[in-house]
Amino acid sequence: METKEMLTIQEIEQLCQAYLDCHLSLLQEKELELLLLCTDHTTPIISETRSLMGLTTLMAHPKAKAITKTKWRLFKYAGIAACVAMIAISGIYYFMNLQSAVHEHDVYVNVDGKELTGYVAQSVINDTEEETMNMFRDIIKDAENEQRLSEQYINSIIE
């Protein structure tokens, strides 16, 4: 499902029926939304799905023609790239702040009501940082898996 030309009217109708039967995830619904904005096909089920998604008023807007000419895949990759860039920028900023000199009196942390200072506090910060970065990696993996599963599910509906 790389471009709108690859889908037939019947395949789009199958996706619309899956939406109406509440068998799509949120990500799959957004992809169907973009597909319906990009396609020129109109049948009763496609029109009903557009109406339920609130796309009929959007398509009537004068700028909708520019949206229909854009491939839906561009939006998906732009969103993924923005998330990865945001995480990378946050990580770089965090690491740059840690690179500054650590002095015994500069660093302190409260852990369970106890104030820790110096290198002990820095050790707690480093451990927390590692946990945070692992969490970011898990979030990225989950997003990639959700995207892959979404594409597989939509392809299985189409086939």
Side-chain angles (χ1 to χ4, degrees), residues 126-152:
N126 291 342
D127 292 343
T128 305
E129 172 193 356
E130 185 62 32
E131 290 173 15
T132 303
M133 293 309 293
N134 287 335
M135 183 181 69
F136 282 147
R137 287 184 200 104
D138 290 343
I139 289 170
I140 291 171
K141 285 180 187 175
D142 290 345
E144 290 170 349
N145 286 338
E146 180 64 28
Q147 177 186 354
R148 183 182 47 78
L149 291 173
S150 173
E151 289 174 357
Q152 287 176 352

Side-chain angles (χ1 to χ4, degrees), residues 86-131:
M86 192 64 145
I87 291 170
I89 290 170
S90 298
I92 291 169
Y93 178 75
Y94 188 71
F95 285 121
M96 288 179 69
N97 283 341
L98 286 180
Q99 295 299 324
S100 62
V102 177
H103 299 291
E104 184 94 17
H105 63 279
D106 287 345
V107 180
Y108 69 92
V109 175
N110 283 321
V111 177
D112 296 327
K114 296 179 184 177
E115 185 174 303
L116 304 175
T117 59
Y119 294 106
V120 175
Q122 187 63 44
S123 174
V124 170
I125 292 170
N126 291 342
D127 292 343
T128 305
E129 172 193 356
E130 185 62 32
E131 290 173 15

Side-chain angles (χ1 to χ4, degrees), residues 3-155:
T3 64
K4 69 178 181 177
E5 292 81 24
M6 293 181 69
L7 295 177
T8 65
I9 294 175
Q10 292 79 20
E11 292 169 334
I12 295 172
E13 286 178 339
Q14 288 175 343
L15 289 171
C16 290
Q17 187 60 49
Y19 171 78
L20 295 173
D21 293 337
C22 301
H23 291 301
L24 299 181
S25 70
L26 290 176
L27 178 62
Q28 292 166 338
E29 287 179 12
K30 290 297 179 190
E31 290 175 348
L32 178 60
E33 205 172 284
L34 288 171
L35 174 68
L36 292 178
L37 284 171
C38 293
T39 188
D40 295 330
H41 300 303
T42 303
T43 63
I45 191 168
I46 292 173
S47 297
E48 180 183 358
T49 306
R50 280 184 179 135
S51 177
L52 288 172
M53 289 181 159
L55 301 178
T56 51
T57 55
L58 180 62
M59 292 181 75
H61 194 274
K63 291 186 180 179
K65 296 297 179 193
I67 294 173
T68 58
K69 293 179 182 178
T70 306
K71 292 185 174 73
W72 66 273
R73 204 175 250 314
L74 175 68
F75 292 113
K76 181 173 64 173
Y77 287 126
I80 292 170
C83 289
V84 170
M86 192 64 145
I87 291 170
I89 290 170
S90 298
I92 291 169
Y93 178 75
Y94 188 71
F95 285 121
M96 288 179 69
N97 283 341
L98 286 180
Q99 295 299 324
S100 62
V102 177
H103 299 291
E104 184 94 17
H105 63 279
D106 287 345
V107 180
Y108 69 92
V109 175
N110 283 321
V111 177
D112 296 327
K114 296 179 184 177
E115 185 174 303
L116 304 175
T117 59
Y119 294 106
V120 175
Q122 187 63 44
S123 174
V124 170
I125 292 170
N126 291 342
D127 292 343
T128 305
E129 172 193 356
E130 185 62 32
E131 290 173 15
T132 303
M133 293 309 293
N134 287 335
M135 183 181 69
F136 282 147
R137 287 184 200 104
D138 290 343
I139 289 170
I140 291 171
K141 285 180 187 175
D142 290 345
E144 290 170 349
N145 286 338
E146 180 64 28
Q147 177 186 354
R148 183 182 47 78
L149 291 173
S150 173
E151 289 174 357
Q152 287 176 352
Y153 182 74
I154 288 177
N155 287 336

